[in-house]
Amino acid sequence: MTALRNAGQFRRVAPVCHDIAVGGTQLGLHDSGVAWWADEQTLIVADLHLEKGSSYARRGVMLPPYDTAATLERLAMVIDAFDPARVIALGDSFHDAEGSDRLPAPYRAFLTTLQLNREWIWVTGNHDPVAPVRLCGECVDEMTLGDLTFRHEPRSGPQSGEVCGHLHPAAKVRRYGRSIRRPCFATDGNRLVLPAFGALTGGLNVMDSAFASVFPPRRFSAFMLGADRLYPFTAAKLIAD
């Protein structure tokens, strides 16, 4: 099993962000897949899906049991880099309603350490509709700060200032004779959909019909995650799977 280390032992991630406006509020997009609200010292992350491997194992589907460790290590690196006063986890933080109860003791202790000296908000999701057990933090169905509303699943139709997850957006482009598909942020300037942060989450192409009620056709942008940078594309440059 992968050993979890102290956050201070991680290589620091340079918190260089691509700034955008969402509903008139400036947010920074980071190549790790998190958003950073500098004015509020708030880190926003979506769809951790902790304990997904153990959830599948209960149903007889064996996956490598390292997803929670890998996700928490990545999260620790980002928290170490930004040192946020507040973390907002946008739902599906655990893969099922019992996931937090199955969390092994070393992982629970490590996550608790990440929560020390900062406000931690658990937004409920469709996979985890109840508050996590034996963990710090406030649990809400959604919350509004300033001009932004944080929820798990995007609402249908125009929404100003909505920040959400759920859809696991990914973008695909064709460049120099080959196609590239990567997780991405998706935004039209009014709302922002974050990519899934969890190690075993995958992604749904933003050209899929599931996004039709979220963004006007071809009137949004995708910021694909790359190695130490983001790659912005208008929807007109994207292709379906």
Side-chain angles (χ1 to χ4, degrees):
M1 180 175 293
T2 301
L4 290 171
R5 298 163 288 176
N6 292 325
Q9 293 178 316
F10 289 114
R11 175 184 62 86
R12 275 195 174 271
V13 179
V16 177
C17 294
H18 187 113
D19 291 333
I20 64 166
V22 179
T25 298
Q26 182 173 305
L27 295 179
L29 309 183
H30 188 256
D31 59 81
S32 64
V34 305
W36 174 241
W37 189 2
D39 288 347
E40 290 288 331
Q41 292 294 291
T42 296
L43 189 75
I44 307 150
V45 62
D47 296 279
L48 299 172
H49 283 270
L50 300 172
E51 291 302 299
K52 181 174 181 176
S54 67
S55 180
Y56 271 69
R58 297 172 77 194
R59 291 174 281 164
V61 179
M62 297 299 128
L63 296 175
Y66 310 124
D67 58 297
T68 294
T71 300
L72 289 179
E73 287 195 357
R74 288 184 60 232
L75 183 60
M77 290 178 69
V78 175
I79 287 176
D80 186 49
F82 286 94
D83 192 22
R86 179 191 295 119
V87 173
I88 300 177
L90 293 175
D92 286 3
S93 298
F94 292 88
H95 191 68
D96 59 53
E98 294 79 36
S100 61
D101 201 31
R102 291 196 311 276
L103 198 64
Y107 300 170
R108 183 180 304 280
F110 188 73
L111 180 52
T112 299
T113 299
L114 296 182
Q115 295 178 309
L116 290 176
N117 299 316
R118 54 180 51 93
E119 182 182 2
W120 196 285
I121 308 296
W122 300 105
V123 177
T124 58
N126 57 297
H127 280 264
D128 55 356
V130 296
V133 298
R134 292 180 287 140
L135 285 170
C136 300
E138 179 184 359
C139 186
V140 300
D141 292 330
E142 64 177 54
M143 70 180 300
T144 298
L145 290 173
D147 293 327
L148 299 181
T149 297
F150 301 89
R151 57 172 63 101
H152 175 61
E153 189 169 351
R155 290 188 177 172
S156 180
Q159 298 287 327
S160 180
E162 182 183 73
V163 181
C164 56
H166 180 63
L167 291 173
H168 299 205
K172 186 176 181 180
V173 295
R174 194 177 307 280
R175 304 277 288 175
Y176 309 114
R178 66 188 185 96
S179 62
I180 302 171
R181 190 183 193 278
R182 300 283 295 172
C184 71
F185 297 92
T187 183
D188 62 356
N190 291 311
R191 63 167 23 129
L192 171 68
V193 184
L194 273 70
F197 192 87
L200 291 179
T201 48
L204 177 67
N205 194 309
V206 290
M207 305 307 291
D208 188 272
S209 60
F211 286 89
S213 64
V214 180
F215 298 116
R218 298 287 181 178
R219 295 178 63 186
F220 65 94
S221 296
F223 294 82
M224 298 174 67
L225 307 190
D228 299 320
R229 62 166 293 186
L230 294 173
Y231 295 86
F233 291 94
T234 62
K237 299 291 186 182
L238 305 178
I239 60 176
D241 288 334

